[in-house]
mmCIF file of all heavy atoms in Angstrom:
data_model
loop_
_atom_site.group_PDB
_atom_site.id
_atom_site.type_symbol
_atom_site.label_atom_id
_atom_site.label_comp_id
_atom_site.label_asym_id
_atom_site.label_seq_id
_atom_site.Cartn_x
_atom_site.Cartn_y
_atom_site.Cartn_z
ATOM 1 N N ALA R 339 16.994 12.299 -7.554
ATOM 2 C CA ALA R 339 16.536 10.907 -7.529
ATOM 3 C C ALA R 339 15.207 10.724 -6.925
ATOM 4 O O ALA R 339 14.812 11.520 -6.020
ATOM 5 C CB ALA R 339 17.570 9.987 -6.616
ATOM 6 N N VAL R 340 14.526 9.789 -7.415
ATOM 7 C CA VAL R 340 13.127 9.440 -6.869
ATOM 8 C C VAL R 340 13.451 8.491 -5.627
ATOM 9 O O VAL R 340 14.212 7.558 -5.818
ATOM 10 C CB VAL R 340 12.270 8.780 -7.927
ATOM 11 C CG1 VAL R 340 10.990 8.250 -7.379
ATOM 12 C CG2 VAL R 340 12.065 9.656 -9.121
ATOM 13 N N PRO R 341 12.724 8.696 -4.547
ATOM 14 C CA PRO R 341 12.938 7.902 -3.426
ATOM 15 C C PRO R 341 12.556 6.425 -3.756
ATOM 16 O O PRO R 341 11.723 6.120 -4.596
ATOM 17 C CB PRO R 341 12.068 8.424 -2.389
ATOM 18 C CG PRO R 341 11.800 9.780 -2.792
ATOM 19 C CD PRO R 341 11.885 9.827 -4.275
ATOM 20 N N PRO R 342 13.253 5.486 -3.086
ATOM 21 C CA PRO R 342 12.797 4.033 -3.400
ATOM 22 C C PRO R 342 11.374 3.735 -3.122
ATOM 23 O O PRO R 342 10.756 4.362 -2.287
ATOM 24 C CB PRO R 342 13.683 3.294 -2.393
ATOM 25 C CG PRO R 342 14.787 4.143 -1.998
ATOM 26 C CD PRO R 342 14.257 5.511 -2.105
ATOM 27 N N HIS R 343 10.894 2.876 -3.915
ATOM 28 C CA HIS R 343 9.440 2.390 -3.738
ATOM 29 C C HIS R 343 9.484 0.846 -3.811
ATOM 30 O O HIS R 343 10.473 0.256 -4.356
ATOM 31 C CB HIS R 343 8.491 3.029 -4.603
ATOM 32 C CG HIS R 343 8.601 2.766 -6.065
ATOM 33 N ND1 HIS R 343 9.506 3.423 -6.867
ATOM 34 C CD2 HIS R 343 7.998 1.740 -6.864
ATOM 35 C CE1 HIS R 343 9.440 2.850 -8.076
ATOM 36 N NE2 HIS R 343 8.567 1.901 -8.122
ATOM 37 N N ALA R 344 8.551 0.161 -3.188
ATOM 38 C CA ALA R 344 8.502 -1.226 -3.173
ATOM 39 C C ALA R 344 7.127 -1.787 -3.437
ATOM 40 O O ALA R 344 6.125 -1.138 -3.231
ATOM 41 C CB ALA R 344 8.944 -1.693 -1.800
ATOM 42 N N THR R 345 7.139 -3.004 -3.957
ATOM 43 C CA THR R 345 5.894 -3.832 -4.114
ATOM 44 C C THR R 345 6.171 -5.133 -3.367
ATOM 45 O O THR R 345 7.231 -5.600 -3.283
ATOM 46 C CB THR R 345 5.588 -4.094 -5.635
ATOM 47 O OG1 THR R 345 6.712 -4.760 -6.220
ATOM 48 C CG2 THR R 345 5.293 -2.813 -6.351
ATOM 49 N N VAL R 346 5.003 -5.608 -2.789
ATOM 50 C CA VAL R 346 5.135 -6.810 -1.864
ATOM 51 C C VAL R 346 3.944 -7.700 -2.187
ATOM 52 O O VAL R 346 2.875 -7.239 -2.474
ATOM 53 C CB VAL R 346 5.098 -6.379 -0.433
ATOM 54 C CG1 VAL R 346 5.046 -7.604 0.466
ATOM 55 C CG2 VAL R 346 6.303 -5.501 -0.103
ATOM 56 N N VAL R 347 4.328 -8.991 -2.145
ATOM 57 C CA VAL R 347 3.274 -10.068 -2.168
ATOM 58 C C VAL R 347 3.451 -10.885 -0.900
ATOM 59 O O VAL R 347 4.539 -11.401 -0.694
ATOM 60 C CB VAL R 347 3.345 -10.956 -3.435
ATOM 61 C CG1 VAL R 347 2.389 -12.027 -3.337
ATOM 62 C CG2 VAL R 347 3.155 -10.111 -4.771
ATOM 63 N N THR R 348 2.397 -10.883 -0.067
ATOM 64 C CA THR R 348 2.545 -11.664 1.069
ATOM 65 C C THR R 348 1.638 -12.968 1.025
ATOM 66 O O THR R 348 0.627 -12.971 0.283
ATOM 67 C CB THR R 348 2.061 -10.844 2.276
ATOM 68 O OG1 THR R 348 0.617 -10.495 2.114
ATOM 69 C CG2 THR R 348 2.892 -9.676 2.545
ATOM 70 N N HIS R 349 2.057 -13.987 1.766
ATOM 71 C CA HIS R 349 1.375 -15.170 1.839
ATOM 72 C C HIS R 349 1.612 -15.832 3.160
ATOM 73 O O HIS R 349 2.773 -16.225 3.421
ATOM 74 C CB HIS R 349 1.703 -16.189 0.683
ATOM 75 C CG HIS R 349 0.997 -17.386 0.681
ATOM 76 N ND1 HIS R 349 -0.347 -17.543 0.334
ATOM 77 C CD2 HIS R 349 1.351 -18.710 0.932
ATOM 78 C CE1 HIS R 349 -0.791 -18.702 0.390
ATOM 79 N NE2 HIS R 349 0.271 -19.513 0.807
ATOM 80 N N HIS R 350 0.622 -15.901 3.970
ATOM 81 C CA HIS R 350 0.811 -16.349 5.399
ATOM 82 C C HIS R 350 1.771 -15.539 6.035
ATOM 83 O O HIS R 350 1.636 -14.342 6.234
ATOM 84 C CB HIS R 350 1.036 -17.891 5.527
ATOM 85 C CG HIS R 350 -0.077 -18.655 4.811
ATOM 86 N ND1 HIS R 350 -1.243 -18.753 5.428
ATOM 87 C CD2 HIS R 350 -0.079 -19.486 3.713
ATOM 88 C CE1 HIS R 350 -2.080 -19.559 4.644
ATOM 89 N NE2 HIS R 350 -1.323 -20.003 3.668
ATOM 90 N N GLU R 351 2.852 -16.072 6.481
ATOM 91 C CA GLU R 351 3.930 -15.358 7.239
ATOM 92 C C GLU R 351 5.140 -14.975 6.473
ATOM 93 O O GLU R 351 6.113 -14.773 7.026
ATOM 94 C CB GLU R 351 4.325 -16.189 8.494
ATOM 95 C CG GLU R 351 3.171 -16.567 9.431
ATOM 96 C CD GLU R 351 2.599 -15.292 10.017
ATOM 97 O OE1 GLU R 351 3.306 -14.407 10.428
ATOM 98 O OE2 GLU R 351 1.282 -15.239 10.098
ATOM 99 N N THR R 352 5.055 -14.909 5.131
ATOM 100 C CA THR R 352 6.158 -14.574 4.295
ATOM 101 C C THR R 352 5.850 -13.447 3.373
ATOM 102 O O THR R 352 4.613 -13.208 3.042
ATOM 103 C CB THR R 352 6.645 -15.800 3.409
ATOM 104 O OG1 THR R 352 5.537 -16.081 2.556
ATOM 105 C CG2 THR R 352 7.058 -17.013 4.231
ATOM 106 N N ALA R 353 6.831 -12.684 2.994
ATOM 107 C CA ALA R 353 6.685 -11.502 2.172
ATOM 108 C C ALA R 353 7.733 -11.608 1.141
ATOM 109 O O ALA R 353 8.914 -11.736 1.387
ATOM 110 C CB ALA R 353 6.774 -10.247 2.947
ATOM 111 N N ARG R 354 7.357 -11.494 -0.123
ATOM 112 C CA ARG R 354 8.265 -11.386 -1.253
ATOM 113 C C ARG R 354 8.300 -9.964 -1.726
ATOM 114 O O ARG R 354 7.276 -9.356 -2.013
ATOM 115 C CB ARG R 354 7.961 -12.327 -2.399
ATOM 116 C CG ARG R 354 7.905 -13.819 -1.988
ATOM 117 C CD ARG R 354 7.946 -14.807 -3.102
ATOM 118 N NE ARG R 354 7.917 -16.145 -2.665
ATOM 119 C CZ ARG R 354 8.883 -16.799 -2.056
ATOM 120 N NH1 ARG R 354 10.008 -16.215 -1.844
ATOM 121 N NH2 ARG R 354 8.651 -18.093 -1.687
ATOM 122 N N VAL R 355 9.481 -9.270 -1.782
ATOM 123 C CA VAL R 355 9.616 -7.910 -1.867
ATOM 124 C C VAL R 355 10.391 -7.565 -3.190
ATOM 125 O O VAL R 355 11.336 -8.139 -3.535
ATOM 126 C CB VAL R 355 10.345 -7.299 -0.677
ATOM 127 C CG1 VAL R 355 10.491 -5.786 -0.825
ATOM 128 C CG2 VAL R 355 9.632 -7.697 0.536
ATOM 129 N N ARG R 356 9.885 -6.565 -3.888
ATOM 130 C CA ARG R 356 10.590 -5.910 -5.020
ATOM 131 C C ARG R 356 10.778 -4.472 -4.705
ATOM 132 O O ARG R 356 9.860 -3.662 -4.445
ATOM 133 C CB ARG R 356 9.836 -5.995 -6.290
ATOM 134 C CG ARG R 356 9.734 -7.385 -6.787
ATOM 135 C CD ARG R 356 9.108 -7.425 -8.284
ATOM 136 N NE ARG R 356 8.983 -8.744 -8.764
ATOM 137 C CZ ARG R 356 9.884 -9.500 -9.223
ATOM 138 N NH1 ARG R 356 11.165 -9.061 -9.395
ATOM 139 N NH2 ARG R 356 9.709 -10.742 -9.728
ATOM 140 N N VAL R 357 12.104 -4.024 -4.713
ATOM 141 C CA VAL R 357 12.402 -2.667 -4.397
ATOM 142 C C VAL R 357 12.972 -2.007 -5.681
ATOM 143 O O VAL R 357 13.835 -2.567 -6.301
ATOM 144 C CB VAL R 357 13.489 -2.622 -3.267
ATOM 145 C CG1 VAL R 357 13.866 -1.181 -2.969
ATOM 146 C CG2 VAL R 357 13.002 -3.249 -2.013
ATOM 147 N N HIS R 358 12.401 -0.804 -5.917
ATOM 148 C CA HIS R 358 12.903 -0.087 -7.140
ATOM 149 C C HIS R 358 13.594 1.126 -6.629
ATOM 150 O O HIS R 358 12.994 1.941 -5.808
ATOM 151 C CB HIS R 358 11.688 0.318 -8.036
ATOM 152 C CG HIS R 358 10.909 -0.864 -8.464
ATOM 153 N ND1 HIS R 358 11.133 -1.534 -9.653
ATOM 154 C CD2 HIS R 358 9.859 -1.524 -7.884
ATOM 155 C CE1 HIS R 358 10.320 -2.517 -9.805
ATOM 156 N NE2 HIS R 358 9.573 -2.549 -8.674
ATOM 157 N N LEU R 359 14.867 1.445 -7.090
ATOM 158 C CA LEU R 359 15.611 2.534 -6.625
ATOM 159 C C LEU R 359 16.529 3.099 -7.623
ATOM 160 O O LEU R 359 16.696 2.551 -8.726
ATOM 161 C CB LEU R 359 16.438 2.086 -5.388
ATOM 162 C CG LEU R 359 17.222 0.824 -5.417
ATOM 163 C CD1 LEU R 359 18.594 1.011 -5.993
ATOM 164 C CD2 LEU R 359 17.358 0.276 -4.001
#
Side-chain angles (χ1 to χ4, degrees):
V340 174
H343 65 279
T345 57
V346 173
V347 176
T348 59
H349 183 69
H350 299 294
E351 301 298 319
T352 62
R354 298 197 184 286
V355 180
R356 290 190 184 280
V357 177
H358 303 266
L359 49 85

